[in-house]
Amino acid sequence: MAVPPGSRMRQGVLRRKPIEQIEDAGAAAGGEGQQLARSLGLWQLTAIGVGGIIGAGIFTLAGTVANGTAGPAVLISFLIAGVASAAAALSYAEFAGLIPKAGSAYTYGYAVLGELAGWFIGWDLLLEYTAIVAVVAIGISGYFSFLLGEMGVDLPKWMLGAPGTGSGHKVDLFAAALCLLVAYLLNTGIKNAARFETVVVVLKVLVVLLVIGVGFFHIDTGNYTPFFPFGVSGAFTGAATVFFAVFGYDAMSTAAEESKDAQRHMPKAILYSLAISMVLYVLACLVLTGMQNYKDIDPESGFSTAFKSVGLSGLADVIAVGAIIGILTVMFTFMLGVTRVWFSMSRDGLLPKWFAKTHPTRHVPTRVTWIVGFASAAIAGFLPIGEAAELTNIGILLAFVVVCVAVIVLRYRQPDLPRTFRTPGMPVVPALGVVFSIWLITFLQWQTWVRFAVWFLIGLVVYFGYSYKRSELARPQE
């Protein structure tokens, strides 16, 4: 008996990629030219995670949120974001040990909730991760401007006249160039790139520890009053913004296929990176808001100006240099993430196979890496940091919702799968991740929803116009 077209459509968009087949994804999708090299150990993975989490959150967003949104309660903002992130991190850890393949939330959603859900998250992350790279590049540019300003030099920027307005528009060439630099580093091969990342992450953590250690002796407790100058709601609104700073581990999980022993190492790396980062965030926020009144904190280079205000100009310059070097690791982690998601979607047939080709000797997806490099450079060059940051939050929060729901569904659908890590408190912990994520989404501005809706509609057109028929899972049906 013939299957009605509507029924076939429903079966298609809900078709799931069996977990048992995901291990052979490379071979099934063509194998040759579509393989990634396994060369990352536990501490390299942890360094990538810490590199993705610690960065703009401490050196840029902490000051921005303290100055205009939460005041000293920025500490509470980070704690709220950290709790929400931890609930999702435990879900990611279970999946990372169970499905050690590139793609992260996209692959997890595809395997558990179906192709359309997987497509939705993958398409979403392509925009979100690319925007994060741009946001971080703009943040680095702010610290570079601070350094040059100290020397009496202006950061070189083109001024393009806006037609009919008589005003100019700044193009941040330094931020755009940084995006292209990171793309180049990733294209040298994951082993070399990871070594660079590990060294820079160590330097960054040392700078943060220096900030905390020295700044502790310059805290004026009077600066903590009032603790909620913008009300309690200001702390919650701030949490929705700084959430951007506490989820680098999800981008790190996209490198599972390049791990030497992903099933054992990935869950540990996710939890280690989040724990290390949250401790440093909390201590750094206490120092920043204790050293300087929240009204006087510079939104772009908070720590450098705070140390300058207490007469430590030399240390302020060191911090600015450390911020420039350290935040670069965030760009590395998220550009790694977006390229691996794109690679996985292409290997699965949801995007053209041309994108899934890897370099014959370096075994990295060079084509998508350069495309992402130029796209992030365009965003960093033309958008202010506030607008670019708003592009990042909604998509990541929705990805967290999908992963937390998927880990509950799979635990009850296939409870006997060999899991190297099991999310504790099932189903309460992942459910909290869902609730927190949805709750934080409600604090985002309506313009963010509009941009997201436009991107989502474009994605639906691409899916039903191209991906639905060319998916690897559509071939057996044919």
Side-chain angles (χ1 to χ4, degrees), residues 17 30 59 95 114 134 146 150 192 227 382 414 437 465:
K17 192 168 188 177
F59 295 112
F95 270 125
F146 172 85
E150 290 291 288
N192 292 333
F227 193 72
F382 288 93
Q414 295 179 270
S437 298

Side-chain angles (χ1 to χ4, degrees), residues 83-95 249 397-412 419 421-438:
V83 170
S85 188
L90 293 169
S91 300
Y92 271 91
E94 177 165 326
F95 270 125
Y249 60 81
L397 288 168
L398 290 174
F400 278 19
V401 170
V402 167
V403 172
C404 290
V405 169
V407 80
I408 296 173
V409 170
L410 191 62
R411 181 71 72 87
Y412 290 103
R419 295 168 169 85
F421 177 85
R422 301 175 73 88
T423 303
M426 181 66 68
V428 176
V429 169
L432 286 175
V434 173
V435 172
F436 267 114
S437 298
I438 294 176

Side-chain angles (χ1 to χ4, degrees), residues 162 339 445:
T339 55
Q445 298 179 3

Side-chain angles (χ1 to χ4, degrees), residues 182-205:
V182 173
Y184 167 77
L185 289 173
L186 283 172
N187 274 322
T188 63
I190 189 63
K191 191 172 184 178
N192 292 333
R195 285 173 179 168
F196 168 82
E197 171 86 343
T198 301
V199 171
V200 177
V201 165
V202 170
L203 292 175
K204 174 168 62 175
V205 170

